[in-house]
Amino acid sequence: MTADTPDEGARQAGGPRTIVVAIDGPAASGKSSTAQWVAERLNFRHVDSGALYRAATAAACRSGLAPEAWTEQTVLDAARSVSLAPGRHSFTPLLDGQPAEEELRGAAVTRLVSKVARMPAVRSWVNARVRQSAEHHDVVVDGRDIGTAVFPSAEVKIFLVADPWERARRRLTQQLGRRPNDGEIADETERLVQRDARDATQTVQAKDAILIDTTYLTQAEQVERIVALTQAVARRPAGAPADDE
């Protein structure tokens, strides 16, 4: 469970229970980077559900069909080329068996991924693959409705939020590799607020999720909180109520 725990690999059927850490929140709230760090600290595997939506979108882009003609079925057909490759601390989405991180994070996919993520059949496809990844592995999964739609029984549920200006500043700093100016942050803030409105129905906080406002937290501080919460859950016998701790 701790950082110095040996990598146990896949769980065997009938072995110790697997633990799911569900991290939800809006765009640019730091979900993916935080989830990846938490997974490394706990020796879990990170599953980025957003990367699966991006992979499905990239596959649809590769199909050559104009985006306005995309349907749930055409996107699902294209997504047959998507697979998940397990690594030491993560699952990597592959397109036609090859990594495509730059393509998945590119402008075309970013512009269209919300359209794809709103398709119920695609959401079901992503959720099924995320659940499969947790069948034999302890996982940290980030997304928008992981704690409600994908793993409603997850033992650790986190909902990350931050001020839109701060989210925009962090995203631009990561993208540009420098400190953005106020005009750049203002433009990105507007884009994020619009994205929040488009994604509102998919971004859901579970009633039993722990809310963490990261506006004034360093990433190390938010990671430490989630690691501590997960370690407390792991020490508890399976099925025991939280107040037994």
Side-chain angles (χ1 to χ4, degrees):
M1 266 300 303
T2 60
D4 29 342
T5 301
D7 185 14
E8 297 177 356
R11 300 286 190 188
Q12 300 299 317
R17 82 185 195 271
T18 57
I19 294 177
V20 173
V21 180
I23 302 179
D24 291 309
S29 58
K31 302 186 300 291
S32 292
S33 56
T34 296
Q36 185 172 4
W37 195 349
V38 169
E40 291 173 359
R41 283 287 312 278
L42 294 170
N43 220 9
F44 286 16
R45 282 185 170 89
H46 171 221
V47 186
D48 181 355
S49 68
L52 277 169
Y53 286 109
R54 285 180 173 272
T57 305
C61 288
R62 286 187 179 188
S63 73
L65 192 65
E68 55 268 23
W70 291 357
T71 65
E72 291 182 339
Q73 191 57 54
T74 61
V75 173
L76 288 176
D77 288 344
R80 291 174 182 170
S81 65
V82 177
S83 58
L84 278 178
R88 180 173 173 79
H89 293 300
S90 65
F91 289 88
T92 301
L94 305 179
L95 289 178
D96 295 314
Q98 298 297 320
E101 179 67 15
E102 186 173 345
E103 184 177 352
L104 266 57
R105 302 295 169 182
V109 170
T110 297
R111 185 175 66 255
L112 294 166
V113 67
S114 289
K115 172 187 177 75
V116 170
R118 288 194 296 271
M119 296 178 174
V122 178
R123 297 191 68 79
S124 295
W125 174 84
V126 168
N127 292 348
R129 273 141 193 81
V130 172
R131 291 188 191 103
Q132 286 172 2
S133 70
E135 288 178 355
H136 303 295
H137 302 278
D138 294 320
V139 294
V140 183
V141 188
D142 67 278
R144 298 180 183 282
D145 58 359
I146 304 301
T148 54
V150 187
F151 292 108
S153 299
E155 294 184 84
V156 182
K157 297 181 184 178
I158 306 294
F159 197 83
L160 296 181
V161 296
D163 177 81
W165 183 274
E166 177 61 16
R167 288 159 54 203
R169 185 194 67 77
R170 292 173 182 173
R171 167 168 280 188
L172 288 173
T173 299
Q174 183 180 44
Q175 290 177 345
L176 302 175
R178 61 170 172 82
R179 179 180 297 178
N181 60 49
D182 285 354
E184 292 170 327
I185 298 175
D187 289 342
E188 183 64 20
T189 298
E190 183 178 1
R191 285 191 287 269
L192 283 177
V193 170
Q194 292 173 351
R195 174 79 181 273
D196 288 348
R198 291 197 303 270
D199 296 341
T201 57
Q202 283 87 43
T203 308
V204 183
Q205 179 181 350
K207 292 181 179 179
D208 54 347
I210 296 173
L211 179 70
I212 300 179
D213 187 335
T214 70
T215 303
Y216 302 108
L217 294 178
T218 66
Q219 190 170 42
E221 289 171 331
Q222 54 191 281
V223 167
E224 286 300 327
R225 291 189 184 188
I226 299 171
V227 167
L229 287 166
T230 307
Q231 289 173 333
V233 165
R235 289 193 297 267
R236 214 165 53 223
D243 57 4
D244 277 0
E245 190 61 25

